[in-house]
Structures are given as C-alpha cells and as structure tokens.
Amino acid sequence: MKQTPRSEELKHDVTCRINRAIGQLNGVKAMVEQDRYCGDVLTQLAAVESAVKAVSREIMQDHLETCVVERIQAGDTEVVDEVMRLFKKFM
C-alpha cells in the first residue's frame, strides 16, 4: 500500500471540505425524503459536486507538487502516465 505524508494544514483543509460536502449530501437526502422540488434538489447536488471537485483539485495539486515531482526527480517518468489516467477520471 502506497502512502503519502501530507501537511497538517492540507489534512485539516481537506477534512473540513469533505465534512461540508457530507453535510450537503445529508441535506440533499433530507430534501428527497421531504419530497422537495426537483430543481431545488438538483441545485444542491450541483453544489455538492462542486465541493467534491474542489477537494479533488486540492489533492491533485498536492500530488503533483509532491509525489509526482519526487518520482520524476528519481528518474521515474512512468508517473506521467499515472497522472494522465488521473486527469481523465476528472474530465
């Protein structure tokens, strides 16, 4: 299992963002259970998606600045293929 040490600041920020997204998802769940208007539910789902994408961008930036740089400096250029596969998942 690969591991990546992360700064406490990054961990805190990502954890806060994830908790916010979880709260938003719980709100969406409640809206569905309460038979709220579809347009309102979809608006909240778009907000959740945006929040999750923000977390993904933050983790991707950290990955590029740490793991990828370290591997390229060590001569491992195969990491470029990994990064491209990751980018494709978010497009």
Side-chain angles (χ1 to χ4, degrees):
M1 176 173 77
K2 294 181 183 178
Q3 288 191 311
T4 301
R6 294 181 178 87
S7 71
E8 290 303 316
E9 180 181 348
L10 179 68
K11 288 180 191 179
H12 176 75
D13 188 50
V14 167
T15 299
C16 287
R17 288 174 183 265
I18 290 171
N19 287 338
R20 195 171 313 123
I22 290 169
Q24 289 174 308
L25 274 174
N26 284 329
V28 170
K29 180 181 173 190
M31 291 174 78
V32 170
E33 291 169 348
Q34 298 164 4
D35 295 324
R36 298 275 299 272
Y37 181 65
C38 297
D40 294 341
V41 173
L42 289 167
T43 297
Q44 290 305 308
L45 283 169
V48 171
E49 186 176 357
S50 177
V52 171
K53 284 183 178 182
V55 173
S56 298
R57 284 190 302 270
E58 193 165 359
I59 295 291
M60 179 63 81
Q61 181 173 349
D62 184 64
H63 181 55
L64 292 171
E65 292 173 349
T66 58
C67 304
V68 174
V69 169
E70 290 168 7
R71 287 177 61 185
I72 288 174
Q73 287 175 342
D76 179 5
T77 56
E78 289 181 20
V79 71
V80 173
D81 292 332
E82 174 192 286
V83 170
M84 290 309 298
R85 284 190 302 275
L86 289 169
F87 279 143
K88 288 177 185 176
K89 290 181 181 187
F90 292 98
M91 294 178 144

